[in-house]
Amino acid sequence: MEPKDRAKEELERLEAVAGNGLLGRRAFLRGGAAFTAAVTGYTLARSAGAAPLTDDPWSLVPGAISPPYEQRSRFEGKVVRTLSNPKGETRTSHARTPHQLINGTFTPNGLHFTIVHSGTPDIDPDKHRLVIHGLVKRPLAFTLDALARYPMVSRMTFVECGGNSAPMFSKEPIQASVQALHGLASCAEWTGVPLSTLLEETGIDPKAKWLVAEGADSLALSRSVPLTKALDDAMIALYQNGERLMPGNGYPMRLLLPGWEGNMNVKFLRRLKLVEAPAMSYYETRTYSQLLPGGKAYRFYFLQEVKSFITHPSPGLALKGPGYYEISGIAYSGNGRISKVMVSADGGQSWAQAALQAPVLSKAFTRFRMPWRWDGGPAVLQSRAWDEAGNVQPTRAQFVAQRGETHKVPNVLAFPNQHYNSLTSWAIDGKGEVKHVYA
Ligand SMILES: Nc1nc2c(c(=O)[nH]1)N[C@H]1C(S)=C(S)[C@@H](COP(=O)(O)O)O[C@H]1N2
Ligand SMILES: [Mo]
């Protein structure tokens, strides 16, 4: 038998664990060599005889010198963020992460999403100060140099805008890429000084229950944060994936509140005022207060709840013929670690458990993977995540019943479409094209 046919046979022998050809994470382990042979022999590699190595021009001359700051290959120019306000008009600007074009668990700095409501200020780090005042024993102003003398910590954590996935509230599924639907979430390793350390320096008046964080941008974005969170895992972040924060992500320092609504992670941070009660600022009472069906609203909605979506395949990434594919995506929860991700290839009729890429970190992106044998017929791919606190992503029916679909409330300026964390469904047709559907 030809190796190709043998591989095909091996692949067909791997037992499906759920409908429409899901092989289950155990295929990675149990299949071993047979699995690898099946995958590579059947669908991917060409035999060496068919494609001998040749010396292309770049193999015949010395290569380029290393620049002081490395840029990615010129062939990767299409891997970019999409911009909602490319001309910089005086309104909010969004830059969305291309989840379908990257892989792994953290977001490169140039592709981290950004939302700036009044542009990115050009801050001179030597002149910037962080002031902590209000209900403290000793108000203090910190320079960047002063902050650098405190013990620092690093942690991987995601930031997600409360308005991420807002298109998912629409009554009909919007045909768009995963970048357009879910691109307002990214994950990075942040390094900085725990806020609790600085509050120990200033001392806390027992009357203080909240703090108001304010940015140095022209609209001086401000949000109220419960002191309990400030003393738990809040950080004054100075570095992002090892280098100083990107300008759009808050240079030279930002408040980082792992797992909490993006808007509260105040960038260009210049002031923390300890107070008795929340300030009821613009962004906590208008834009980011979730409206419910019937016109009631959540007063505060801090947590980014458990969520997942498939990035590969996804709209724009068509399948090239039947055979083996890896379904993969990201899962995360503001409550802690992801405990389980289930994947379906038949629109939720049957499910199999995905493999989670280690390490699985609290409040960080977790990559999940699921081997899949596509038979060339129609399929609907979905993922559903659980977190260690026992929360599960609601089904779409559950979510819509509780939170509604796009609804405008007369004479109310609030933005209703916040905190979507239900499922995302990708339909594959017989040609391998991927479409967004509700299932
Ligand atoms: N000072 C300031 N902080 C800000 C913003 C802003 O416009 N100004 N945008 C907020 C919003 S709406 C979100 S979702 C997050 C986004 O963080 P990122 O741009 O680093 O991804 O920053 C928040 N912090
Ligand atoms: Mo946001």
Side-chain angles (χ1 to χ4, degrees), residues 112-115 117 161 217 249 254 262-263 265 267-268 288:
H112 196 289
F113 92 91
T114 60
I115 298 185
H117 294 288
C161 178
D217 42 352
N249 298 111
R254 80 177 306 167
N263 186 265
N265 293 254
K267 303 189 280 192
F268 329 113
Y288 291 94

Side-chain angles (χ1 to χ4, degrees), residues 250-271:
Y251 186 86
M253 62 182 76
R254 80 177 306 167
L255 181 60
L256 190 74
L257 303 174
W260 281 25
E261 184 177 71
N263 186 265
M264 303 175 77
N265 293 254
V266 175
K267 303 189 280 192
F268 329 113
L269 184 69
R270 73 166 176 190
R271 187 146 75 115

Side-chain angles (χ1 to χ4, degrees), residues 7 20 54 127 208 230 269 290 371 387:
N20 248 348
T54 56
K127 297 203 176 117
L269 184 69
Q290 169 69 39
D387 69 25

Side-chain angles (χ1 to χ4, degrees), residues 127-145:
K127 297 203 176 117
H128 185 83
R129 298 287 180 274
L130 170 63
V131 170
I132 303 183
H133 68 136
L135 295 172
V136 294
K137 300 203 169 110
R138 213 159 57 105
L140 291 172
F142 298 89
T143 61
L144 217 55
D145 281 348

